[in-house]
Amino acid sequence: MNVAMLSRWHVHANDYAREAMANPDIEIKLVWDEEPERGRQWASELGVPFEGNLDAVLSNPDIEGVIIDTPTYMHKQVMLEAAKHKKHIFSEKVLTFTIKECEEIFSAVDENEVHLMLSLKRLSDDYYLYAQKAVKEGLLGRLNLVRCRLAHTMGLPLEGKPYGKLPPYFFDPELCGGGALMDLGAHPIYLTNRFAGEPKGVYARLQATLGHRVDDNSAVLVDYSSGVLGIIEAGFSSNDSFRLELHGTDGQIIIEKGGLKIKSIHVQDGQWTTPAELPAKLPSAMEQWVKQIKDGTEPAITREDMWRLTQINEAALVSHREGRRVELADYGGAV
């Protein structure tokens, strides 16, 4: 499949280019960027032509798909145009800012019979698959709380760099839609949603402790129809951490960067134990995208994942701004 790389704006753009080049079913043919000089440099590095006109890229009959790393505010328009030109779409998270825009994108994708994939990469990881299986098998009894935290220090100021190791534009709400929650928080949001089910309400505090215009230290409390409480945390200004906790009537699972452990009345006499092995990882989001295009394989990452992620983000911004719990019935029902 011949693809065009659309923008090097996001910090993961290089990662997706490398993954595409390593995939035997993908060939990068063109680069476009909303900043032409950056795009020309990237095209030179990749050894492909640069095209400064987005319509020319999307009208090119040799291009079958696009990999999008534009500023988030551009996602909707770029995706609608790509779908109209019958191009398959792979994108960095998040999909867009509102569920209304999500639904516009889904409609355009369906109308033009192309495939859409969002990089919700942790849904392919072995620790997630183990935890999901353990919950399904009842090892934790009735699940009642999920806590997921993802944070790093890349936003902390350095000498001569008030935005730390992150690009300054990551702190621009017009470009990004938000800060730590919108970016890093995407992973805790979609993971928590997967375990807990349909969310009912959101209460969020999005703190800008560094004094920028977006949050760098955020916490969200979500209550779900299942009775599970979700605690979602994200930060650009905390020591590096990833922690996923699942608590139930019969046990708990704790997952950190260093590994996974389970304590359950159904396992090892209720003592903390580390599983001897974890399930095999699923194909990456990009691999799932290609497989769906090539042979119709249904991806593990779903539209509901994308839609629920957007729903929580949209409601969290309202909750913080208005200082109240937001009922998600006000932000769409089931996808």
Side-chain angles (χ1 to χ4, degrees):
M1 177 172 64
N2 295 331
V3 305
M5 304 298 299
L6 303 187
S7 183
R8 202 181 196 177
W9 179 85
H10 200 279
V11 294
H12 292 315
N14 292 342
D15 299 329
Y16 297 128
R18 283 192 292 270
E19 185 176 358
M21 288 188 292
N23 190 311
D25 293 316
I26 299 177
E27 185 169 356
I28 298 174
K29 288 291 190 179
L30 287 173
V31 166
W32 169 86
D33 199 299
E34 73 279 4
E35 292 188 8
E37 191 54 43
R38 181 175 64 194
R40 290 189 187 94
Q41 175 64 35
W42 200 22
S44 175
E45 293 173 20
L46 296 176
V48 300
F50 171 75
E51 173 55 67
N53 185 304
L54 180 59
D55 189 64
V57 175
L58 299 178
S59 300
N60 188 326
D62 294 330
I63 299 299
E64 301 163 270
V66 293
I67 297 174
I68 297 174
D69 280 288
T70 64
T72 311
Y73 85 94
M74 297 180 68
H75 279 191
K76 174 190 166 184
Q77 192 56 41
V78 172
M79 289 180 188
L80 292 180
E81 288 297 314
K84 184 175 74 174
H85 287 85
K86 311 294 186 183
K87 310 304 181 189
H88 300 293
I89 301 166
F90 178 94
S91 178
E92 173 61 293
K93 47 74 180 155
V94 294
L95 186 62
T96 186
F97 296 152
T98 69
I99 56 173
K100 180 178 183 297
E101 292 178 338
C102 272
E103 289 162 359
E104 289 181 63
I105 292 167
F106 293 159
S107 294
V109 165
D110 288 342
E111 182 180 342
N112 291 282
E113 299 182 326
V114 295
H115 294 296
L116 167 70
M117 176 55 66
L118 197 62
S119 184
L120 308 184
K121 62 182 183 179
R122 291 174 184 260
L123 294 176
S124 297
D125 284 342
D126 50 8
Y127 66 81
Y128 161 72
L129 297 171
Y130 174 87
Q132 191 70 276
K133 183 172 183 287
V135 170
K136 185 176 181 180
E137 291 178 351
L139 298 187
L140 304 188
R142 181 175 178 179
L143 189 68
N144 50 43
L145 188 139
V146 178
R147 177 192 174 217
C148 193
R149 175 176 181 79
L150 183 60
H152 60 52
T153 59
M154 291 181 67
L156 289 177
L158 301 169
E159 186 175 353
K161 294 184 175 182
Y163 300 98
K165 296 180 181 178
L166 291 173
Y169 51 73
F170 260 47
F171 296 86
D172 185 332
E174 282 72 41
L175 297 181
C176 302
L181 183 69
M182 186 73 72
D183 183 65
L184 278 186
H187 302 293
I189 291 171
Y190 66 70
L191 285 170
T192 303
N193 286 344
R194 274 292 187 95
F195 290 114
E198 180 185 1
K200 290 173 56 183
V202 168
Y203 181 80
R205 299 307 298 162
L206 312 180
Q207 306 289 13
T209 60
L210 298 174
H212 302 308
R213 291 196 295 150
V214 298
D215 57 291
D216 55 79
N217 183 37
S218 299
V220 182
L221 179 65
V222 185
D223 52 290
Y224 290 84
S225 297
S226 61
V228 174
L229 286 178
I231 302 171
I232 294 162
E233 305 168 19
F236 287 158
S237 56
S238 300
N239 193 265
D240 286 4
S241 65
F242 172 69
R243 187 174 178 91
L244 173 59
E245 303 175 14
L246 295 98
H247 300 270
T249 55
D250 293 357
Q252 55 192 296
I253 291 174
I254 306 294
I255 300 165
E256 298 181 288
K257 281 188 174 181
L260 179 155
K261 60 183 181 180
I262 182 171
K263 182 180 181 182
S264 166
I265 63 173
H266 307 292
V267 179
Q268 295 289 323
D269 297 321
Q271 301 300 308
W272 281 110
T273 185
T274 298
E277 61 179 341
L278 299 178
K281 291 185 177 183
L282 295 179
S284 72
M286 190 174 292
E287 290 172 316
Q288 291 182 41
W289 180 55
V290 173
K291 285 177 178 290
Q292 185 177 31
I293 294 165
K294 281 186 61 182
D295 54 32
T297 301
E298 195 66 26
I301 297 168
T302 70
R303 286 191 186 181
E304 184 170 359
D305 294 317
M306 306 175 197
W307 194 91
R308 291 287 184 209
L309 168 58
T310 307
Q311 183 189 39
I312 297 289
N313 265 310
E314 184 178 2
L317 287 170
V318 173
S319 173
H320 175 75
R321 185 169 63 243
E322 299 182 3
R324 65 178 178 89
R325 179 182 182 274
V326 171
E327 297 286 348
L328 291 183
D330 298 336
Y331 290 86
V335 64

